Amino acid sequence: MDLPLERAAIDPTRETFKALFSCVPPQGPIVMLNLLAFREQAADGAQAPARTGREAYAAYSEAVAPLLARVGASVQWQGDAHHALIAPPGEQWDEVLMVTYPSRDAFVAMIQSPEYQAIVHHRTAALRDARLVATTVRN
């Protein structure tokens, strides 16, 4: 089921990216909570071979792994989502992923790198909706 465009979110906006710097402390590790909903068919365009959203995300995951390692980040937890017990009507997620970065700036360095920019199209093609929430451990 595709979501209304006003609710679907795939990539950060200029405003949400800018707010990252005022909302997330620069020191210490951050954990990025990913809620992922896959397209049935990846939105790759007519030139690309047909693949599912999960297949496109798998290509993204494989390509991003060395970039995560380069900035000292790692996947901490990954699992299938089965049911949103408390959520707006119709909100469903396929996968939940938690990635730890050594700092906010390590995350920013990765997503702004030319290597990341060259692969992020797999993620965009894969997802019909997503949430990416920057979290820190409470002391």
Side-chain angles (χ1 to χ4, degrees):
M1 168 174 78
D2 285 339
L3 297 175
L5 289 179
E6 65 274 3
R7 237 181 75 206
I10 308 300
D11 298 310
T13 65
R14 189 176 303 273
E15 294 79 22
T16 61
F17 185 74
K18 185 177 176 184
L20 179 71
F21 295 93
S22 60
C23 296
V24 179
Q27 315 81 6
I30 64 168
V31 177
M32 298 301 278
L33 170 65
N34 295 256
L35 300 177
L36 308 172
F38 299 115
R39 296 176 186 269
E40 286 197 32
Q41 282 297 132
D44 284 316
Q47 277 70 339
R51 60 183 178 165
T52 68
R54 279 193 184 271
E55 290 168 338
Y57 200 83
Y60 167 77
S61 295
E62 183 177 329
V64 81
L67 306 181
L68 289 169
R70 186 179 306 157
V71 298
S74 61
V75 174
Q76 294 302 301
W77 190 87
Q78 184 173 9
D80 292 326
H82 296 282
H83 173 68
L85 187 61
I86 300 174
E91 184 173 279
Q92 294 177 226
W93 302 105
D94 297 315
E95 192 170 299
V96 179
L97 180 67
M98 295 174 69
V99 181
T100 300
Y101 293 83
S103 68
R104 175 198 69 195
D105 293 342
F107 169 75
V108 170
M110 186 194 77
I111 67 169
Q112 289 184 332
S113 73
E115 296 87 357
Y116 184 82
Q117 293 302 310
I119 65 163
V120 71
H121 65 92
H122 294 298
R123 181 184 181 279
T124 302
L127 299 173
R128 68 174 169 78
D129 197 10
R131 301 294 181 268
L132 183 60
V133 181
T135 70
T136 58
V137 174
R138 186 181 306 161
N139 294 326

